[in-house]
Amino acid sequence: MRSRILKGIFAGCVAALMAATTSASAGPLMDRINAGEPIRIGFANEIPFAYPADDGSPKGFVNVFTIAVLKKMGYDKIEPVQTEWGGLIPGLKANRFDIITGGMNILKSRCENVAFSEPMAKVGDGFVVAAGNPKKITDYKSIADSGAIMVTGAGYSNIEAAKAAGVPEANIMQVPGPTEILAAVKAGRADAGAGTYFTVKQLADTTDGALEASDPDAMPEDSFNWAGIGFRKDDQDFLDKFNAAEKEYLGTPDMLAAVAEYGYGKGSLPGDVTTDWVCANR
C-alpha cells in the first residue's frame, strides 16, 4: 500500500513538473491564445505592404501573407491594430500588439529588439523623384554627391543606408510615412523620396506623371533587403511554428495568387537567404 501511495505521489509530482515546464516555455502570445484572446497584428499605412481598408480590415501583401500562414496554423481570431511606422517596434515590446506585419526589413539593429520570421520577400530600395529625374538620382551615392535633400519615413531602413553612403544627416528629412514623403517631393521641399521600390512606384503612379520612380536596377546589390514578420523574443515558441507553416506556404501558387494584386511576383521571393544571415549582414 505504502509503495502505491509513494508511486502516486511521484507520478503527481512529475505531472505537475511537466505542466510547469510547459507553461514556462510558452510565450505571452500562446498565453493570450490559450486564454481565448485574438492575435493582434500591428502595421502602419504602408501601401502595398500593409495598410487598412476603408472598413479597417488589414490589406497589403504582408498582411495577406501573414493571415494566411496563421490560418494554416489553425488561428483565425485576429485583431488588426494600426499605428505609425515609428511605433511598431515600441508597440510590440510594450505588448500593444503581438506581431508586426508592416513589411519591415530585417536589419542587424532591429534584430536586437525583434525576433524575425524567416524572410518572406526580397525588397529593393527606390526613389520617387520629379519627372525626368533632373538631379539624376539613381542610388544613395548620387544623393550624397549632388547634395540633394532626401525625405523618408522616421525609422525606415533608408536612413541607415543613406548615411552609410555619405549623405549628411542634415540632408535627410524624416516624416511619418508615405503620404508625407510624397507631399515633400511634390512641393519641392525634397529632391528624392526614399522607400522600398514597391512603395515609391505606387506613390509615383498616383501623380499623373508629375513624379516618377527611379530605376531599381541601378541600385547596388548590397542595397537589397529582406522583409520578415516581427515577433517578441519571448514568443520564440510561436515563431518556430510560424516558420514551419511559412516554409510550406511561401512560393506556392495559392500564395502568389493571393499577393499578386499588390505587385508581389516570383521575383519578390526571398530565395535561400536566412534570417540569421540577414541579421548578421544587414
Side-chain angles (χ1 to χ4, degrees):
M1 174 68 73
R2 183 170 180 274
S3 176
R4 287 199 197 115
I5 291 172
L6 289 174
K7 285 180 180 177
I9 292 173
F10 178 74
C13 289
V14 170
L17 180 60
M18 289 178 67
T21 302
T22 301
S23 176
S25 67
L29 178 49
M30 279 308 306
D31 289 343
R32 281 182 55 83
I33 291 169
N34 291 335
E37 298 292 331
I39 298 174
R40 300 163 300 177
I41 59 173
F43 57 93
N45 187 10
E46 298 286 333
I47 299 171
F49 293 89
Y51 61 96
D54 291 340
D55 62 359
S57 60
K59 303 284 283 183
F61 70 79
V62 185
N63 275 337
V64 168
F65 174 85
T66 304
I67 291 170
V69 173
L70 291 173
K71 286 184 176 179
K72 285 186 173 294
M73 297 169 67
Y75 305 119
D76 56 10
K77 194 173 183 181
I78 294 164
E79 177 185 334
V81 182
Q82 186 191 352
T83 187
E84 288 190 353
W85 179 267
L88 287 173
I89 291 178
L92 180 70
K93 296 180 72 174
N95 297 324
R96 288 195 288 273
F97 33 80
D98 306 300
I99 300 175
I100 294 174
T101 64
M104 184 168 283
N105 287 339
I106 303 168
L107 299 176
K108 184 183 296 185
S109 56
R110 290 175 179 162
C111 293
E112 296 173 1
N113 296 294
V114 176
F116 283 101
S117 71
E118 289 302 319
M120 58 79 61
K122 184 178 181 181
V123 183
D125 287 350
F127 307 101
V128 58
V129 296
N133 196 1
K135 292 209 169 182
K136 308 303 179 189
I137 293 170
T138 55
D139 56 14
Y140 294 106
K141 187 176 185 302
S142 64
I143 292 177
D145 291 345
S146 66
I149 301 297
M150 184 190 94
V151 60
T152 193
Y156 281 22
S157 59
N158 308 87
I159 298 168
E160 291 183 24
K163 288 180 178 179
V167 179
E169 190 163 357
N171 286 18
I172 303 173
M173 183 189 305
Q174 297 186 41
V175 297
T179 301
E180 293 80 9
I181 291 173
L182 182 64
V185 179
K186 287 179 72 174
R189 298 195 306 274
D191 302 300
T196 68
Y197 181 73
F198 281 112
T199 298
V200 299
K201 179 67 166 63
Q202 185 276 331
L203 292 177
D205 287 347
T206 68
T207 66
D208 293 325
L211 304 180
E212 65 182 52
S214 63
D215 179 5
D217 293 331
M219 296 295 288
E221 182 63 28
D222 62 6
S223 71
F224 283 86
N225 289 287
W226 286 264
I229 315 303
F231 295 79
R232 286 184 291 268
K233 289 183 178 289
D234 289 344
D235 287 322
Q236 187 64 47
D237 59 327
F238 189 90
L239 175 53
D240 290 341
K241 296 174 184 176
F242 184 93
N243 278 333
E246 175 185 306
K247 185 176 181 180
E248 293 183 1
Y249 182 59
L250 185 67
T252 62
D254 284 349
M255 177 257 173
L256 291 172
V259 297
E261 66 175 287
Y262 303 107
Y264 186 117
K266 287 184 178 180
S268 305
L269 290 168
D272 297 329
V273 172
T274 66
T275 294
D276 284 345
W277 183 91
V278 182
C279 283
N281 290 279
R282 287 294 187 270

